[in-house]
Amino acid sequence: MSTSGQVAAAFELGEPEGDLVHIRRGDSDAWRLNTSTGSYFVKGYLGEVSADQLAIATAFEQRALDAGVDMPKPIDSSLGWVTRIDDRLFRVYPWIEAGPTQDVSVWLGQTMARVHQLQPLAQIGLPPWWQQTVPPLTGRPSWASLYDDAVPHLIAIAERIAELAETAPDPVLTHGDFKPHNIVASPTGPMLVDWDSVRTDSAALEAGRVAYTFAAGNPQQINKILTAYVAAGGELDWSGPDLFLSVARHDLQILNDLIQASLGQTPPAPWMGNIETTITTTLQNLPHKLIQLRTLTQGR
């Protein structure tokens, strides 16, 4: 039986009308499958995604569904939302036909607040994945002088992260991947998709990072998102000048990854492009970026 037939049979989707149509590859493959009962979005996970990880994610996804978060409901198989076919894990959702582009700022702030209220954790501090070190430099690559200038900034970011790792008061289980490509403009309104990256984070610091990312740094849009977040019950006050620290942490992580690849310590990833140019640009932009983040915090 073809893979399309196996998926259709496992999830009781009716008779396939053709093969799986591949639409995306990343941490998982994604396909569109048309059958006699409708059109479906199929995910097939690569080897590094474990059943245990998906069990955590699907349990939280169920909690979000029960709470009425705007999201698609997974299709059930005889084994639940996740089924193994030929040693690969699969999930299926109804296909959503994307509508016109919408301003999701208010919806995003409200939805983040709802997600952050689903499962607050009885602990203090930041999760281990937040920890970042300043990458050591061996040799003198073309960007070495820019790196030297950036080191004090990088150390300050890492030290502040280490401090909040002991004191951040608002860890929650969260969607973990609030990004524009995971918001689908459905005919009934925006929907949050791709719940596979569920993880622990600081609610306020995730809200700051997500608002900055969606708004592309625009102060008015950031305030629109965060105002909706607070109005829906989200709490930001404790973060003070650290509200956008997660943006800086992300930049430090990216720089770490780039430098390791540049020095031959890890293989380059496809997103890196021209690694030396990307490192140079990142280092050149860092001081201005940090000033911008401080200004945004003061603006709130």
Side-chain angles (χ1 to χ4, degrees), residues 56 60 63 111-130 164-165 167-178 195 197-210 229 233-236 238 246:
I56 294 170
F60 189 72
R63 188 184 289 259
T111 299
M112 270 199 299
R114 293 179 73 182
V115 170
H116 288 165
Q117 292 158 14
L118 292 174
Q119 196 167 338
L121 302 176
Q123 62 192 56
I124 298 295
L126 299 174
W129 63 263
W130 258 81
L164 286 183
T167 61
D170 63 345
V172 296
L173 204 61
T174 180
H175 177 276
D177 202 18
F178 285 99
W195 289 75
S197 299
V198 169
R199 64 182 180 183
T200 301
D201 202 351
S202 155
L205 301 187
E206 180 178 57
R209 183 186 72 252
V210 171
Y229 179 80
E235 174 58 56
L236 300 175
W238 77 265
S246 189

Side-chain angles (χ1 to χ4, degrees), residues 60-144:
F60 189 72
E61 189 173 359
Q62 180 67 69
R63 188 184 289 259
L65 273 170
D66 293 343
V69 173
D70 296 319
M71 56 193 289
K73 186 180 186 304
I75 303 293
D76 278 313
S77 74
S78 60
L79 299 177
W81 288 350
V82 181
T83 289
R84 188 176 296 277
I85 300 173
D86 292 338
D87 295 324
R88 192 171 188 184
L89 299 173
F90 285 84
R91 300 188 71 190
V92 176
Y93 292 84
W95 183 268
I96 300 173
E97 290 293 349
T101 302
Q102 308 170 38
D103 180 0
V104 300
S105 299
V106 172
W107 175 90
L108 176 62
Q110 294 170 340
T111 299
M112 270 199 299
R114 293 179 73 182
V115 170
H116 288 165
Q117 292 158 14
L118 292 174
Q119 196 167 338
L121 302 176
Q123 62 192 56
I124 298 295
L126 299 174
W129 63 263
W130 258 81
Q131 295 295 330
Q132 295 294 322
T133 58
V134 178
L137 185 60
T138 58
R140 297 298 293 174
S142 60
W143 38 264

Side-chain angles (χ1 to χ4, degrees), residues 176-190:
D177 202 18
F178 285 99
K179 292 178 181 175
H181 65 263
N182 285 333
I183 309 297
V184 177
S186 80
T188 59

